[in-house]
Amino acid sequence: EARTAIVTGAGNGLGKSYAKALAAAGANVVVNDINEQTAGLTVDEIVADGGHAIACCRDITDHEQAGQIVQAAIDTYADLNIVVNNAGICRDRMFTSLSPDDWDAVVSVHLKGHYCLASHAARLWRAQAKEGQAVSGRIINTSSGAGLLGSIGQSNYSAAKGAILSLTLVQAAELQRYDVTANA
């Protein structure tokens, strides 16, 4: 209760489920999705169920726009406590058929998107800690077994998901001093 969460890819699928579960538990939710219509529908469902949510459809792969998502949480709910990096796409191809554009798109949404949003949140929490404020931040990154074992036809996805696991380990080690946890 009384915590604010950003959930990426929350217009449908797992992201929508995460957003609705957080709202049902009493959190304020910033619903992020590239599709404004589905983000709006998630917000409408949360509000209809008595929760608090807004949509912010900025691009998580753009560092400046990711900062605007964090700012929307602060402007609307006065704080940010939780980042759920869930957004993702697939461009499945066998490695010999994989184009550079398909590689870049998947790595950008999965890995860069996780970095951009968490970067702004972590800087906020570090600043709060340095000002003497109590911080209880949470970063939840979405990975996959494909990141550990690979997956045929998904070299781009597998590489990004493996990198997210490594990113999470570093975030956990570096951010614990600010009372921020990172999990995948």
Side-chain angles (χ1 to χ4, degrees), residues 97-120:
S97 301
L98 186 65
S99 73
D101 288 342
D102 286 340
W103 176 272
D104 290 344
V106 170
V107 170
S108 182
V109 172
H110 288 274
L111 184 56
K112 188 176 182 188
H114 279 49
Y115 158 75
C116 288
L117 191 56
S119 169
H120 286 284

Side-chain angles (χ1 to χ4, degrees), residues 133-183:
Q133 294 179 38
V135 176
S136 180
R138 304 292 179 255
I139 298 173
I140 302 163
N141 293 327
T142 304
S143 188
S144 167
L148 294 172
L149 304 172
S151 180
I152 293 172
Q154 292 188 314
S155 59
N156 49 4
Y157 178 83
S158 298
K161 291 303 190 180
I164 288 167
L165 292 171
S166 295
L167 172 66
T168 305
L169 290 172
V170 174
Q171 288 171 331
E174 291 183 0
L175 299 176
Q176 67 182 345
R177 72 187 76 189
Y178 308 120
D179 198 17
V180 175
T181 63
N183 294 281

Side-chain angles (χ1 to χ4, degrees), residues 2-180:
R3 292 174 60 83
T4 299
I6 296 170
V7 181
T8 68
N12 55 48
L14 289 174
K16 182 175 186 170
S17 295
Y18 299 149
K20 290 181 75 172
L22 285 162
N28 303 311
V29 181
V30 178
V31 173
N32 171 263
D33 200 279
I34 197 164
N35 184 321
E36 291 183 26
Q37 182 178 6
T38 60
L41 291 173
T42 299
V43 169
D44 291 346
E45 289 179 30
I46 290 171
V47 171
D49 289 339
H52 301 280
I54 63 165
C56 185
C57 297
R58 302 286 189 253
D59 183 353
I60 60 168
T61 69
D62 179 286
H63 196 259
E64 183 178 330
Q65 289 189 46
Q68 293 168 1
I69 300 166
V70 169
Q71 192 61 51
I74 294 165
D75 290 347
T76 305
Y77 300 114
D79 203 0
L80 174 64
N81 311 101
I82 304 161
V83 171
V84 180
N85 283 313
N86 171 73
I89 61 170
C90 288
R91 299 290 186 270
D92 296 353
R93 305 273 186 284
M94 297 301 283
F95 185 73
T96 55
S97 301
L98 186 65
S99 73
D101 288 342
D102 286 340
W103 176 272
D104 290 344
V106 170
V107 170
S108 182
V109 172
H110 288 274
L111 184 56
K112 188 176 182 188
H114 279 49
Y115 158 75
C116 288
L117 191 56
S119 169
H120 286 284
R123 291 168 196 226
L124 168 71
W125 293 326
R126 179 183 64 187
Q128 289 173 337
K130 287 185 174 190
E131 292 171 2
Q133 294 179 38
V135 176
S136 180
R138 304 292 179 255
I139 298 173
I140 302 163
N141 293 327
T142 304
S143 188
S144 167
L148 294 172
L149 304 172
S151 180
I152 293 172
Q154 292 188 314
S155 59
N156 49 4
Y157 178 83
S158 298
K161 291 303 190 180
I164 288 167
L165 292 171
S166 295
L167 172 66
T168 305
L169 290 172
V170 174
Q171 288 171 331
E174 291 183 0
L175 299 176
Q176 67 182 345
R177 72 187 76 189
Y178 308 120
D179 198 17
V180 175

